[in-house]
Amino acid sequence: QVQLVESGGGSVQAGGSLRLSCTASGYTNRRYCMGWFRQGPGKEREGVARIYTFSGIGSTYVFDSVKGRFTISQDNAKKTVYLQMNSLNPEDTAVYYCAYYGGPCGSGYPYWGQGTKVTVSS
């Protein structure tokens, strides 16, 4: 059973930065996809970024809505994926979730973390 634990959320003023972490356990796949999603108040869940890893090498993708401000990275040794969020604005306020699938990206995610809340004030 794969378990995901997010951390790093909090409150920040517009223009500030936060780094979210997602630590995974319980998987042994050498090929997997991990994604970051968010769901703001009254909004649908949307993808933020994802990283596809095969034999320790990651390939990243950042969605247009946050491109240029957010980056995704990972530390394989720590089994942790990071979401660096810069130039935050109130529209980034949301609960951020990480998700995992033991295969290529685009196939859905059966495992999700509990979420970490980010609040950006103007």
Side-chain angles (χ1 to χ4, degrees), residues 38-46 91-97:
R38 67 183 182 182
Q39 187 165 19
K43 299 180 181 179
E44 293 186 353
R45 186 177 65 195
E46 64 173 346
E91 288 69 43
D92 296 315
T93 294
V95 178
Y96 285 73
Y97 300 89

Side-chain angles (χ1 to χ4, degrees), residues 23-85:
T23 300
S25 61
Y27 72 88
T28 58
N29 300 61
R30 295 178 62 190
R31 180 176 68 165
Y32 57 87
C33 183
M34 291 187 72
W36 282 101
F37 293 79
R38 67 183 182 182
Q39 187 165 19
K43 299 180 181 179
E44 293 186 353
R45 186 177 65 195
E46 64 173 346
V48 176
R50 64 188 185 214
I51 184 165
Y52 170 61
T53 300
F54 181 63
S55 295
I57 299 175
S59 175
T60 64
Y61 178 83
V62 179
F63 285 74
D64 287 345
S65 59
V66 299
K67 191 170 291 183
R69 299 189 298 122
F70 291 13
T71 57
I72 186 171
S73 62
Q74 67 179 346
D75 184 328
N76 290 330
K78 296 182 179 179
K79 292 191 175 182
T80 298
V81 173
Y82 303 99
L83 183 69
Q84 178 66 43
M85 307 186 295

